[in-house]
Amino acid sequence: MIRLEGITKRFGAAGKPSVDNVTIEMPEGTTTALIGPSGCGKTTTMRMINRMIEPSAGRIFIEGQDVTGLDPVTLRRRIGYVIQQIGLFPHMTVSENIATVPRLLGWTKGRTEERIDELLTLVGLEPERFRSMMPHRLSGGQRQRVGVARALAADPPVMLMDEPFGAIDPIARERLQDEFKDILKRVRKTIVMVTHDLDEAMKMGDRVAIMRDGRLVQYATPDEILAAPADAFVEAFVGPDRALKRLSLRTVDTLMRPGAIADAPAVASGASVREALARLIGSGIRSVNVRGSDGTILGHVTRDAILDGADAAA
């Protein structure tokens, strides 16, 4: 869906490149998280995809089309964009904010109104309640949801997300991450996300691109990066608790056995192995039940299976 070929960006003729000869392919329907130290070039790389920043060299392909020569305004209407500051127009209602791009594209009023209701429902906001609200009346999490709905309004194949949860408090951030991961799976968009939070990158990204000094150091799945860092920099960047981080990526469903265990604690289906282990440590209990969305027990996971997985992760 997205292919960058030798993308380079220099600010000033003699300056060191902010992005240096980056080549990367991002498959359709996946989320790629760009991460690295401050000044590594991750945000510049993302902003070159929609030509908010023009590359100094290299080519950018979206759906097989070289977009480096397209009109930038036309290109941006094909790409959803979500930023940390959310950027809702303060003088417009929620529905007017979401309708911004469809209106520019000449959609009929009926089609636009139907899309607004569809997207508000998708992001968990009741249309009847939120349509006419002004942005200042929304919480930070609600504004972020409207920002995502606006980015999805014209059904773009690609979405760029620049630290989308950075302005949200930590408790709400984790909940929103879970909800948006589910939303993004359902809408099947190709997502490029910039984040400074390694746990967020590993949680949200199907693939993670680690950058350093403008160069791409490693591009792989979260599990591959944690299992086999490309070099000493990546190993230090992901930290010494790589085994525990890998347990956070694996779900209890992969270790589940049939049957319920009486008096055992329960975790939800889809919970991480790390979460299950946390429920068992110090309790003397040797199994945790796995609960479905309807409350029924789907099976159980033993402490030994979790610890065997931890040994394998290490």
Side-chain angles (χ1 to χ4, degrees), residues 60-306:
I60 303 164
F61 294 85
I62 297 178
E63 295 183 289
Q65 181 184 20
D66 186 347
V67 302
T68 46
L70 289 183
D71 172 60
V73 175
T74 302
L75 172 65
R76 288 172 203 143
R77 290 176 184 174
R78 293 170 47 189
I79 299 175
Y81 193 42
V82 181
I83 60 176
Q84 177 178 338
Q85 294 81 11
I86 304 162
L88 299 182
F89 299 115
H91 59 288
M92 292 184 179
T93 65
V94 164
S95 61
E96 289 169 339
N97 266 282
I98 296 173
T100 302
V101 174
R103 187 169 59 246
L104 292 171
L105 294 176
W107 285 24
T108 64
K109 183 177 180 180
R111 182 185 178 192
T112 301
E113 295 297 308
E114 183 178 342
R115 183 65 171 161
I116 290 168
D117 287 348
E118 176 187 350
L119 288 170
L120 285 173
T121 301
L122 178 70
V123 299
L125 300 175
E126 299 172 16
E128 298 81 6
R129 178 184 171 193
F130 288 95
R131 263 179 153 275
S132 60
M133 275 194 182
M134 302 301 290
H136 71 271
R137 295 183 57 199
L138 304 174
S139 68
Q142 290 168 343
R143 287 195 296 271
Q144 195 64 66
R145 292 167 192 268
V146 175
V148 171
R150 185 176 64 181
L152 288 168
D155 201 21
V158 170
M159 282 183 62
L160 308 180
M161 305 181 80
D162 190 358
E163 300 203 30
F165 309 108
I168 310 298
D169 68 83
I171 295 174
R173 184 187 309 150
E174 186 169 354
R175 186 179 69 251
L176 282 173
Q177 288 170 350
D178 291 334
E179 292 177 5
F180 283 126
K181 189 169 182 178
D182 180 60
I183 289 170
L184 296 177
K185 283 180 181 177
R186 282 184 276 152
V187 297
R188 288 289 296 173
K189 303 297 179 186
T190 304
I191 313 293
V192 183
M193 171 188 289
V194 166
T195 178
H196 67 277
D197 185 324
L198 181 65
D199 289 336
E200 181 171 276
M202 295 296 173
K203 181 176 186 176
M204 301 296 292
D206 298 301
R207 287 176 168 266
V208 176
I210 299 180
M211 298 185 68
R212 182 189 189 191
D213 296 332
R215 289 185 170 271
L216 181 64
V217 182
Q218 187 168 7
Y219 178 52
T221 68
D223 190 64
E224 289 169 340
I225 288 173
L226 293 172
D231 59 17
F233 166 76
V234 176
E235 185 172 5
F237 186 77
V238 299
D241 58 342
R242 290 188 288 124
L244 281 176
K245 286 187 171 73
R246 290 188 74 192
L247 290 182
S248 297
L249 301 177
R250 193 172 187 184
T251 68
V252 290
D253 306 73
T254 63
L255 302 177
M256 188 169 60
R257 299 179 181 180
I261 303 298
D263 300 323
V267 295
S269 174
S272 71
V273 172
R274 184 175 181 175
E275 182 180 343
L277 182 61
R279 298 294 302 274
L280 295 178
I281 289 177
S283 69
I285 301 171
R286 303 198 63 83
S287 295
V288 61
N289 289 322
V290 180
R291 184 177 55 244
S293 57
D294 60 356
T296 60
I297 300 300
L298 305 176
H300 71 280
V301 177
T302 67
R303 185 173 180 270
D304 288 343
I306 292 172

